[in-house]
Amino acid sequence: MSASPPIEVAFPEHARLLEALTEALGPGAVVDGRERVNSPDDAPIAVLRPSDTAEVALILRTADEAGAKVVPWGGRTGLVRGTMARGALALSMERMNRIEEIDVLGQTMTVQAGCVLETATEAAEAAGLILPLDLGSRGSATIGGAISTNAGGNRVIRYGMTRNMVLGLEAVLADGTVVTSLNRLIKNNTGYDLKQLFIGSEGTLGVVTRAVLHLRPGAGGGVTTALVAVPTLMDVTTLLRRVEGTLSGHLSAFEVMWDDYFQLVTTEPARGRSPWDQSHAYHVLIEAMSSDGAQDAERLENLLGDAMESREIADAVIAKSQVERDAFWAMRDDVRQVARFGPIMSFDVSLPISEMEGFVAEVRKALAACWSQTKPIIFGHLGDGNLHVIVAPVPAEPRARARIEDIVYSAVRERDGSISAEHGIGLEKKAYLSWSRSPEEVALMRRLKVALDPRNTLNPGKVIPDA
C-alpha cells in the first residue's frame, strides 16, 4: 500500500506530532482535515481515525503531552457547532463502529461509539427488541455522539433521554487513561455513577469509546399512529393528558406542529399532503407502542371520537398501514422545508407546558416589532416540554442574529425554561448557559473540567462560558 501524501501544516510541531501518530497508527488513520469540512476556516489540522480503544488512548496521551487540542467527532449531526475543530485534531470514531454483543435475555447491547444509530436500531429489532432512541438524523448520528449530547428525540415521553438508556460505558480521559465501566446491570448502586460525567458533556471531559445500552421488548408490530387536528393549545394539553391515561403507559410520542410548520410540510415542493379540508391551529402526531396494537387502536379511536363530539379536537385520522404511518412521520421530520424563506436560526428550548402559549406569543410579537417578515415556525416534542423554534428569514443586517437570540432566550429565561432541551450547548449557546444554570453550577462545571482535563485538551472552548 502506498503511503499517504504528507499533510500540510502551519507549524513544525504539528508536523512532528502527525508523523508520530501516523507511525503509531498506520496507513489510513491520519487524514487531511480539509477534506472533511465544508468551510476551510473550520478545518482541523488532521482527522485521526482510531480502530480501537487502545488507539484512542494513544492519541489522547500523545496530544495531551504535546499540548495539542482534540475534538471528538461522531456523525457530526449536531446543531450547536460542538464539533468545530479549527486548529485542533479531529478524533473521528468512524472506524469504531461495531456492535459487539446483543444479550437478548438481559436485553442489552454492547456497541462501539462510532456505530450509526440506525444500524444499532435495526440490529435490536432483528433480535426482537427495540433501542428506543429515535432521531431525525438516525441514518448518520452515532451512538457516541448521542451519548455525548444526551440526545432526546421522538420517544422521550416514554423512554427518557439517552441517559436513561445507558447502563455502562467506556471512556478515555484527556491523558489517555481508560475508564472502563461496561456495567450490564439495571441496578448497580456502588458509589459514584461515573458514566454520568460523560453523558451530555459533549466530549469536554472524556471520549466515549464503547457503551452498554438498555434495550426494551419489541412491540411485535403493535404500533398505533394518529394525526389529530386541534383548535387550541389548551385542547392540545387536555388531549395529551387524556391519551396518557387511556393508553396506560403505551404512549411513545406526542409531537405537535403549529400550523405555520404544517403548511410548509404539506404544500409543494414538500411531498406531504394534509388530510384536512381546512386549516387548523395545531396538528398532533400521536404514537403508541405495545404488543397489543389492536387494543391501543380501539382505545385511541374511542378517545378521539369522544374528543370530537366535545369539540376538543377538530379532526383525526389513524394510520391503517406502515405506509400511512411513515407518511405522518415524514411530515414531522421534513424540517428542511423551513429553508424556503431564506436564512434561518434554529432554537431548541424546554418550557413548562403551561408557559408555551405565552412564550410563543411573546416571541412572535418581539420579532414582528423588529422585522415585519421574520417569524417563528414552531414544532416539537410537546409531551416532554421541548419546542423547536425556527426563526426565518434572518435579516442580513448586523447583529440581527444576536438580537434574535436575545429575544428567544429572554422569553425562555422569564419562564424558568432551558435554552437547550436536547441539542446541547457547543459553541452556539455557551454565552447563554448562565441563563439556565446558576453561577454555582457553572463554577462546578469549570472545576470538573479542570480536574479531568487540566490542560484543556478535549473539545476546548465548548459548553462552559469563558471565565
Side-chain angles (χ1 to χ4, degrees):
M1 181 181 296
S2 60
S4 300
I7 298 172
E8 296 181 11
V9 295
F11 303 104
E13 60 268 25
H14 292 162
R16 290 191 292 269
L17 176 60
L18 294 184
E19 287 174 5
L21 289 172
T22 300
E23 182 178 354
L25 300 173
V30 182
V31 299
D32 196 324
R34 292 170 298 181
E35 301 173 0
R36 300 296 189 95
V37 293
N38 295 324
S39 169
D41 291 338
D42 285 345
I45 297 168
V47 178
L48 310 179
R49 304 167 63 240
S51 59
D52 58 29
T53 299
E55 290 188 351
V56 174
L58 184 150
I59 289 168
L60 293 186
R61 182 170 58 252
T62 304
D64 192 54
E65 292 172 351
K69 309 303 181 184
V70 179
V71 177
W73 277 5
R76 299 171 62 208
T77 59
L79 299 174
V80 292
R81 296 187 71 205
T83 59
M84 197 283 288
R86 181 173 62 242
L89 298 169
L91 179 59
S92 172
M93 307 302 286
E94 62 194 273
R95 296 208 296 185
M96 295 180 61
N97 58 12
R98 292 190 303 111
I99 296 171
E100 297 182 351
E101 180 188 28
I102 295 179
D103 179 353
V104 176
L105 185 61
Q107 297 187 3
T108 66
M109 170 187 287
T110 304
V111 61
Q112 292 182 324
C115 181
V116 172
L117 173 59
E118 191 168 56
T119 301
T121 299
E122 291 174 349
E125 291 175 353
L129 300 166
I130 62 169
L131 174 59
L133 185 62
D134 183 45
L135 313 172
S137 58
R138 62 187 70 87
S140 51
T142 64
I143 297 297
I147 291 172
S148 74
T149 57
N150 189 30
N154 302 323
R155 298 172 180 167
V156 170
I157 191 171
R158 178 169 179 180
Y159 297 103
M161 305 282 279
T162 299
R163 187 183 306 282
N164 299 82
M165 304 171 202
V166 179
L167 294 177
L169 56 74
E170 178 182 79
V172 184
L173 304 184
D175 65 0
T177 300
V178 178
V179 181
T180 302
S181 183
L182 294 172
N183 168 69
R184 299 198 303 174
L185 305 173
I186 294 175
K187 299 179 75 174
N188 183 350
N189 206 14
T190 51
Y192 301 148
D193 191 358
L194 296 177
K195 68 177 181 290
Q196 302 297 348
L197 286 172
F198 307 104
I199 302 173
S201 66
E202 301 184 44
T204 60
L205 300 181
V207 178
V208 174
T209 51
R210 298 158 70 208
V212 179
L213 305 176
H214 184 196
L215 306 181
R216 303 301 175 91
V223 179
T224 303
T225 309
L227 186 64
V228 185
V230 187
T232 72
L233 192 59
M234 179 61 72
D235 291 327
V236 170
T237 58
T238 299
L239 177 63
L240 169 62
R241 299 313 173 204
R242 290 185 63 180
V243 171
E244 285 180 317
T246 299
L247 294 180
S248 303
H250 296 167
L251 179 65
S252 57
F254 192 91
E255 302 288 306
V256 180
M257 295 169 277
W258 270 244
D259 195 49
D260 285 347
Y261 180 81
F262 190 76
Q263 293 302 323
L264 276 177
V265 299
T266 56
T267 56
E268 294 287 350
R271 295 182 180 180
R273 292 294 176 268
S274 173
W276 325 126
D277 294 329
Q278 62 187 74
S279 63
H280 300 281
Y282 302 93
H283 310 264
V284 182
L285 181 55
I286 299 170
E287 190 159 276
M289 301 175 66
S290 76
S291 59
D292 194 344
Q295 187 177 53
D296 282 344
E298 182 179 357
R299 288 175 175 173
L300 185 57
E301 187 173 359
N302 291 336
L303 182 155
L304 295 175
D306 292 342
M308 187 89 73
E309 289 184 8
S310 63
R311 298 187 178 181
E312 293 173 0
I313 68 173
D315 212 336
V317 57
I318 297 178
K320 297 296 191 294
S321 66
Q322 186 62 46
V323 172
E324 291 184 3
R325 184 175 297 117
D326 290 343
F328 290 168
W329 277 107
M331 288 188 287
R332 163 57 182 82
D333 290 342
D334 196 9
V335 182
R336 66 184 181 277
Q337 297 301 331
V338 298
R340 288 193 222 170
F341 291 114
I344 68 169
M345 289 181 69
S346 179
F347 298 88
D348 153 57
V349 301
S350 187
L351 295 155
I353 294 177
S354 61
E355 298 285 353
M356 288 183 177
E357 192 164 25
F359 165 80
V360 173
E362 180 179 332
V363 171
R364 286 190 193 280
K365 182 178 179 180
L367 289 173
C370 296
W371 307 283
S372 61
Q373 301 300 314
T374 299
K375 63 180 181 179
I377 303 163
I378 301 169
F379 61 99
H381 321 291
L382 182 138
D384 53 52
N386 179 189
L387 293 184
H388 296 296
V389 180
I390 298 179
V391 176
V394 176
E397 66 188 64
R399 293 197 55 75
R401 289 181 173 269
R403 178 63 182 136
I404 291 170
E405 286 180 333
D406 284 348
I407 287 171
V408 174
Y409 291 143
S410 292
V412 170
R413 181 169 60 171
E414 289 171 7
R415 293 166 175 81
D416 294 325
S418 170
I419 63 166
S420 177
E422 60 181 0
H423 291 168
I425 300 298
L427 278 177
E428 293 287 344
K429 300 185 181 184
K430 74 170 188 173
Y432 293 93
L433 181 65
S434 61
W435 289 29
S436 293
R437 293 289 196 177
S438 70
E440 294 78 14
E441 289 176 303
V442 174
L444 181 55
M445 291 180 194
R446 290 196 179 102
R447 289 169 64 184
L448 286 170
K449 174 67 170 174
V450 171
L452 294 181
D453 184 13
R455 296 179 180 174
N456 196 25
T457 297
L458 289 173
N459 215 3
K462 314 294 172 39
V463 182
I464 305 171
D466 299 330

